[in-house]
Amino acid sequence: TNKLALAARSLCLLVLFCRRVVLRGLQELRQEGSVAKKPRQDAAAHLEALIGIMPQLFRIVLQLACDRGQVRVSGLWALALETLLYLIEDTLPVLEHGGITRATAERYWEAALDTLTKLVRVALETRDAAQPVSQSQDGKAKAVHPALLAQALGHLLVHHVLACAATSEEASKQAVHLLGELSNSYSCVIGHLFDLCAAPEVPCSGRGLRSAAAMAARGSAEPLPARSPKRSILLDVAIPTLLKCTRSILARCEGDGSGEM
């Protein structure tokens, strides 16, 4: 019990630490003048180091999120999942504005996409789980709503990953494919694919300001960010993925005679 409590506090502190480094570093990078040259250099080095250690942090926290033992029963896995969402979400602005080197950015994206792929897998496995997967304070088992995780992942992919100017073409395509995998099992996510295909080509206005977890908890539809970098490339992937998901959903509805997902 003490170890689980310590792990929970450590996850919260990890998110707070990363946010402090990101906010302070980006603020110092915006300073002008010769006096601010040294602080800008220090801030750039700190942000580079932060992005450099993110792959290792992703792997450590992912072990908790994917655990099948006591961590799963205690519900700590859900906090680990939320921590990963925050870590990815909070570090995307650094890739946009932090002057991160190409090699460090490539390692980050490789680890981030691998993490997102495994989180999608967890969401799909959780949906199919027949037994409860967490425990309440009174010790009684209770089920976790898997749709909430799917919604949070969908919001993260659309409002942050795909809306980030630093997201590579390959990363954008993989993010759309992950949306497709979620949409095949969660009808609440397929709306994001429709938004990607229908969003007009308009001037950039920035990424989503609300966190993915907060948007999922609100449960209401969030407008697609006006900016959609590499949108023409995304359409080549999003349209076939949307058609495939729609056909799969219709086939299941025809098979069971019900419109429920």
Side-chain angles (χ1 to χ4, degrees):
T1 303
N2 290 337
K3 291 182 178 179
L4 292 175
L6 180 59
R9 294 189 182 96
S10 298
L11 291 174
C12 296
L13 289 174
L14 178 60
V15 174
L16 292 175
F17 170 77
C18 289
R19 287 184 175 178
R20 184 180 187 279
V21 174
V22 169
L23 293 175
R24 185 177 181 86
L26 292 179
Q27 181 183 25
E28 292 182 348
L29 284 179
R30 298 178 61 182
Q31 296 180 4
E32 299 179 355
S34 57
V35 178
K37 183 177 180 180
K38 184 63 166 60
R40 286 200 305 269
Q41 292 176 343
D42 293 341
H46 292 158
L47 293 175
E48 180 81 19
L50 177 66
I51 297 301
I53 65 172
M54 290 312 297
Q56 182 177 359
L57 291 179
F58 289 157
R59 287 192 295 270
I60 294 173
V61 180
L62 195 60
Q63 290 179 355
L64 294 176
C66 299
D67 187 88
R68 293 291 185 272
Q70 183 63 27
V71 172
R72 189 76 168 182
V73 176
S74 68
L76 183 62
W77 72 282
L79 180 58
L81 287 172
E82 188 173 355
T83 299
L84 288 170
L85 296 180
Y86 286 136
L87 290 178
I88 294 175
E89 179 182 301
D90 293 343
T91 49
L92 288 177
V94 180
L95 297 174
E96 283 187 305
H97 310 292
I100 303 302
T101 60
R102 181 175 180 178
T104 301
E106 288 178 350
R107 288 192 295 270
Y108 171 91
W109 279 117
E110 181 181 359
L113 291 172
D114 179 68
T115 299
L116 289 170
T117 300
K118 291 178 180 177
L119 290 182
V120 169
R121 190 181 307 160
V122 170
L124 299 179
E125 292 174 352
T126 303
R127 183 183 187 274
D128 298 332
Q131 71 279 3
V133 291
S134 70
Q135 195 173 27
S136 60
Q137 292 181 351
D138 58 5
K140 296 181 180 179
K142 64 177 182 178
V144 171
H145 296 290
L148 188 62
L149 172 58
Q151 290 175 6
L153 285 170
H155 285 307
L156 176 65
L157 289 169
V158 172
H159 294 275
H160 295 277
V161 175
L162 291 176
C164 176
T167 305
S168 66
E169 175 182 332
E170 189 61 33
S172 298
K173 291 181 178 179
Q174 188 167 342
V176 174
H177 285 306
L178 291 176
L179 276 175
E181 292 184 29
L182 286 171
S183 300
N184 279 327
S185 297
Y186 295 95
S187 58
C188 59
V189 181
I190 196 172
H192 290 307
L193 288 174
F194 279 102
D195 290 337
L196 284 175
C197 296
E201 196 78 38
V202 292
C204 300
S205 65
R207 296 180 302 108
L209 297 180
R210 293 195 181 100
S211 71
M215 286 190 285
R218 290 177 70 238
S220 58
E222 193 78 9
L224 188 73
R227 179 175 64 186
S228 186
K230 307 177 182 67
R231 182 173 179 273
S232 60
I233 298 174
L234 285 181
L235 289 180
D236 293 338
V237 182
I239 292 178
T241 302
L242 175 59
L243 293 175
K244 181 180 178 181
C245 292
T246 304
R247 182 171 59 183
S248 176
I249 291 173
L250 293 176
R252 289 201 299 272
C253 291
E254 181 181 3
D256 60 16
S258 170
E260 295 182 359
M261 288 296 296

